[in-house]
Each structure stands twice: as structure tokens, then as C-alpha cells.
Amino acid sequence: MMEKNIPRNEFPRPQFERNEWMNLNGEWNFKFDRENRGEKEKWFKKANFDKKIIVPFTYETKASGIGEESFCPNVWYQKSITIPSNYDKKNIILHFQAADYITKVWVNGAFVGKRKGGQFAFSFNITDYLDESNELNIVVKNEDSQSCFQPRGKQRWLENSYECWYVQTTGIWQTVWLEFLNETHIESVKITPDIDKESVEFVYEVSGDINQSLVLKTSISFKGERVKSFEQTINRPVQTILINISSEFHHWRVLHWSPQSPNLYDIEFTLYMNGVEVDYVKSYFGMRKISIENGNVLLNNMPLYQRLILDQGYWAESHLTPPSEEAIIEDINRTLEMGFNGVRKHMKVEDQRFLYWADKKGLLVWSEMAATYEFSDEAVQNFTEEWIEVVKQHYNHPSIITWTPFNESWGIKNIYTDRKQQTFTEGIYYLTKAMDSMRPVIVNDGWEHTISDIITLHDYEEFGDKFLERYNNKEKIVNNDIAFNQSKHAMAQGYRYKGQPIIISEYGGIAFNSDKGWGYGNQVKSEEDFLHRYESITQCIKNTSYISGFCYTQLTDVQQEINGLLSEDRVPKVDLKKIRTINLK
């Protein structure tokens, strides 16, 4: 259920889609609470909300209708809605796709609960708070801080933006919506493909009364053609089944997912209680395998050369929130048109609609966590709790081929020598592997690696001949005999290179002459100068035989950082066909 005149009105969770829902984006009442008086004065019961805001855009953005960039630690939202009478016997679930950083919720004056974390989706069951008139008065308070112990990514913690840190994101920044469920329903399904055995493992989680007669039907199809259908009796909350999906519907019997052929199987889950349907969910999956062998990353058992671009997912008018689904599609299309086959989503856990379109269009994705910037017990806890949710919620997306929890020693600045910080990255590595054994994990993208599956290096050398001279001797780099980028070492102390693939996961960052921002190295004056430098360094990376991929910085300008191939408004700075030619050369 949705209205056409509200922003981001598409279904927000495409990997687990139901028909009965209501989008709450659009106009809400809003109030700043700089002195943190709201709870003491009971604003959740009655308050003069003196502003309007357009959700899901944060107050710092023009798209919100406010556009105030100064930091405010507490903000309040209010919206009243009427629940259609045909849903009054259903459970009502209030979903937030993301809100930064602590979210507190009241419904009809009663406190419902709170969640901490800005990078993942969460929800509250608000059924018991509905009054006899089916009215819901929803009040939300978001608390943010400038603490470096909370995962904040590229959000500044000082008054003004500087270097590569930008205006903060406070409050609701992704879709808010209601979902209507029966008491007994499917909570989640974890889907794990195995192309070697031509099978798929399904882990079903069911909520409600499992003492009733419950049957779960799973139907798999491809472009409308039936592949496999099976039923199972549900007698415990979590059940696992392994199914061979080889079928005669196609001469290959199993269709793999890849950038060249992003084949997706459609899937329907139907839950019956005593023979009556009580839940129906649509989803999809891709049959693909990521593995590492002899210093190479393999996709579906074939060597994969990764041509990635750094993508921070910012827009001029809406910052971290994609302004529309069309904007998401445009970014993906431009990326593919330029001859890149993937993106490294940088310091941001991306909108699930982005991942949906990456799945559909065959765009490879490295999923990266927003960084903390200081190390402490509090930071360890905050980071770990969010990271667990990120991996769980995005596990089923075939486009995600790599997890990147840390970047450039941010939040672990002494990792080169500090055993506690090294142990933290090991813990996150093994925690991630316990949840997801199939994807590579890069524990510290850029340098000073501990136990990464891929050794990734950041180097903004602007001259190809100097790059080749330094990278000519692989052993000197991986054995820490030299600082590979003239300042950092590849491995942390106490760790040895074990034959992992090597990727240059940041380079370039070329900017045109301007006094409005910065790029890496000398700024260039013309398209000819830009393309010459781009080709020189990119070709040198490709000519280095032991390097198995690259990631260019970056797709678009972001506020004061003006080194994108596109401007912040998505206007190309150079002929993108020429970029494609160089990338595919």
C-alpha cells in the first residue's frame, strides 16, 4: 500500500516482499531539541512541533525541506495515521530502514522501545498500542552525537566539514513503513547457494504458534517457468533444508549469476496453518560462488578481474539518502557504461533498493561498514553489534561478493603494532565467517592487514612509471621491506603474507583545477591531461601480473571532495566512452 506523491514509495525490502504494507514517507511534523528537554516535558504526549520535514531525508539536506547543516543532538518527529479497518486484527510492525543514531519510539503516548545504530534496519511491534479508533500517533526521537566511539563513516564530528569528512546525518535517513502480519508468520529465510552441488540451503525462521499444524511451501521459478516446488512441516522455530535445484527447464540445468549474466531465480514462500494461508512472501536468489585459489579471486570457479569504482553514495540534495529509485539506477548504469564491473561502497551500508538493482543488473559490490574513529570497549561493542545486523540483513544479495568491516586503520589507528586492536580485527573476521563462510573478508582495507582474505592496497601515486618501479618487486611489498605507498606497510606487525590475492583498492582521485575542493596529487587542466594520467596509472596496474583488480577513486564528487568522474549532480567531466575504452583495454 502506498501513495504516489511521497518520496521513495517503492517497497523498501525487496529481498523479502509482502503485499500488505503502508509507506510512511512524506511530510512529518518536526522539532529540534538542542537542550534535550523533550522527554522531561513529555513531547511524546503533546508538543508544538514547529517545523515540517520530508521523510526519509534528514534535516541537514535540502530534500528534507529544512536544509540546516549545524549539528543538533536531539530531533523529534511526529505523524498521525489511521489504520484501515481490514488490518485491525493483524500485527502492526513499524519499520525503520535506517535512522542515525539512537531511535526512541512512542505510539499514542506510550513508550514502545529504542534501538541504537545508524546502518541497519530495525522494527517494533506496535499492535498493542492501537486505540479503538484505529488511530496511531507516532512520535520518534533520534539522539545523535559527535562521538568517535559510534560508527559514523564519513560524517564529520567537528563543527565544519574538512578533508574527506562531510556534513553529518542525523535521524531518519531511509524509508519508514508499516507491515501487517498474522501472529504466525515467516520471520526470515537465509538462502545459501552451492553451484558445485547444484543445491540451495534454506534456513527458515518462523514466529508464532508452532504447536499448530504448520506447512511451509517453497516455489522456485525462473522467468515464470517452474523449477522446483516443495513443502515441509514446521515444528520448531528454525528449520533447515537442502534442495537440489537442477532442472530440465534449461539446457544448462542450473543458471549462474554473474556480471555478464545476472540470472535470478524467483521464489515464493507460503505458510499454511491448519490448511489456511497465513503468510506469503516473495524473494529471489542467485546461484553464484566466490572463492579464492592460487592468489586469484574466482567467480563461479573462473578467475575474476575486478574493475571497481569507489562509490560513497552521496547526493547534493539528499546526502546519504538516494533521492529516488531512478537516481540509484542511473548511478549503476553509469558505472557499468564506463566499463567497471563493480563498486566498493565506501563508509556506508547501502540502501537495500541499491542492492536489489545491483543484483538485477550484475554489479559486483564490496559492502563496507561505517567506521568508528577511536578504539575503546564502547567502540568495540557499538561496531560489533551493528556489523552483525549488517551481515545478517544483506546476506542473501548475490551482488555482495566481499565484506569490508574496516578501512585504513580508522578506529584501529595503532593496529600496526597494538595487539588488542589486531585481536579485534581477528574477532570480527571470525565472527563474519561464522555467519557467512562463502564471502571473502577484508579486515583493514588499504594497509596494515592482519588476517584478510584479500590484501588490498591504497596508493595515490599519479605517475605510472613510479608505480611500476615500486610494485615491480612483489616480495618487498608483502614482506614489509618497503612502505608500498611511501608511508604505510601492507601487513601489520606479527602477520605474514600467505599468498592472498592483491588488489589496488584505492588509486587515482584525479581532480580538475578548482579552488572549490580537492583531489589527490596535482590537479589537471584539461580532459586530455585527465585521460592521459588515468590511462597511465590504470594500465600500469593492469600490467602488474600479480595484481588481480583495482578500485578507482571515485564515481562522483562529494561536497568538498571533487575527484569524481561525475560531478555531484551526475554530470560527466570527461567522455565516459573513453574511460570505458581504457578500462577494457
Side-chain angles (χ1 to χ4, degrees), residues 347 367-372 383 387 391 402-408 410 412 424-425 428-429 432 440-445 452:
M347 284 290 106
S367 184
E368 183 175 307
M369 180 59 181
T372 60
F383 183 96
W387 182 244
V391 175
T402 304
W403 296 116
T404 310
F406 301 100
N407 172 73
E408 290 189 348
W410 292 349
I412 44 172
F424 177 40
T425 67
I428 293 296
Y429 175 90
T432 307
V441 179
I442 300 169
V443 294
N444 189 24
D445 192 58
S452 292

Side-chain angles (χ1 to χ4, degrees), residues 472-518:
N472 183 52
N473 191 325
K474 173 185 175 183
E475 298 306 313
K476 285 187 176 182
I477 291 175
V478 298
N479 293 331
N480 279 9
D481 294 336
I482 64 170
F484 67 90
N485 61 6
Q486 300 182 314
S487 64
K488 295 289 185 178
H489 290 88
M491 309 300 295
Q493 285 188 358
Y495 296 86
R496 298 184 62 185
Y497 175 67
K498 297 181 179 180
Q500 299 101 313
I502 296 174
I503 291 177
I504 304 298
S505 59
E506 279 190 33
Y507 81 102
I510 308 168
F512 282 91
N513 275 352
S514 173
D515 59 0
K516 296 181 180 179
W518 64 275

Side-chain angles (χ1 to χ4, degrees), residues 97 135 141 143 149 160 209 276 290 318 346 357 397 411 571:
Q97 288 304 107
E135 294 291 323
K141 179 191 181 187
E143 301 173 2
F149 296 148
N160 297 311
D209 188 357
V276 177
I290 295 292
S318 59
H346 185 43
W357 284 106
H397 286 284
V571 177

Side-chain angles (χ1 to χ4, degrees), residues 171-310:
I172 297 167
W173 68 278
Q174 289 189 32
T175 292
V176 183
W177 56 293
L178 295 178
E179 190 171 32
F180 305 98
L181 305 173
N182 287 313
E183 180 72 26
T184 301
H185 59 271
I186 306 165
E187 190 69 31
S188 66
V189 183
K190 184 177 184 180
I191 306 173
T192 305
D194 186 335
I195 69 167
D196 297 323
K197 296 180 180 179
E198 299 184 334
S199 65
V200 182
E201 179 186 80
F202 297 96
V203 180
Y204 304 94
E205 183 179 357
V206 175
S207 292
D209 188 357
I210 60 172
N211 294 318
Q212 297 291 325
S213 175
L214 297 178
V215 175
L216 182 56
K217 180 180 180 180
T218 301
S219 301
I220 303 170
S221 61
F222 186 85
K223 294 183 177 179
E225 188 166 351
R226 181 180 178 274
V227 175
K228 187 88 58 172
S229 183
F230 54 92
E231 295 182 356
Q232 61 179 324
T233 300
I234 300 297
N235 51 28
R236 56 186 184 275
V238 179
Q239 290 190 199
T240 301
I241 189 169
L242 185 67
I243 295 294
N244 185 292
I245 67 160
S246 177
S247 172
E248 296 182 357
F249 83 100
H250 190 275
H251 61 273
W252 289 117
R253 302 184 67 84
V254 174
L255 292 172
H256 294 165
W257 184 97
S258 69
Q260 296 78 22
S261 301
N263 296 306
L264 294 174
Y265 287 82
D266 294 310
I267 190 163
E268 298 175 345
F269 306 107
T270 309
L271 182 64
Y272 298 92
M273 176 187 288
N274 300 322
V276 177
E277 180 182 315
V278 292
D279 199 8
Y280 172 77
V281 177
K282 293 188 293 183
S283 187
Y284 64 89
F285 66 91
M287 293 295 293
R288 69 99 182 86
K289 174 185 177 183
I290 295 292
S291 57
I292 291 175
E293 187 176 307
N294 298 326
N296 290 303
V297 178
L298 306 183
L299 174 63
N300 302 332
N301 298 323
M302 300 288 289
L304 172 67
Y305 193 89
Q306 297 184 59
R307 303 183 305 275
L308 311 179
I309 192 164
L310 190 84

Side-chain angles (χ1 to χ4, degrees), residues 5-10 24-28 30 52-67 75 77 98 142 168-176 315-325 327 351:
N5 60 342
I6 63 175
R8 300 304 310 275
N9 61 5
E10 65 281 346
L24 300 185
N25 289 347
E27 187 176 86
W28 288 56
F30 182 83
K52 305 289 186 181
I53 190 169
I54 304 300
V55 169
F57 308 112
T58 67
Y59 76 80
E60 294 95 342
T61 68
K62 295 177 182 177
S64 73
I66 298 176
V75 295
Y77 302 77
N142 282 116
Q168 73 282 340
T169 294
T170 304
I172 297 167
W173 68 278
Q174 289 189 32
T175 292
V176 183
W315 282 264
E317 70 273 31
S318 59
H319 297 186
L320 281 175
T321 308
S324 66
E325 185 158 51
D351 190 300

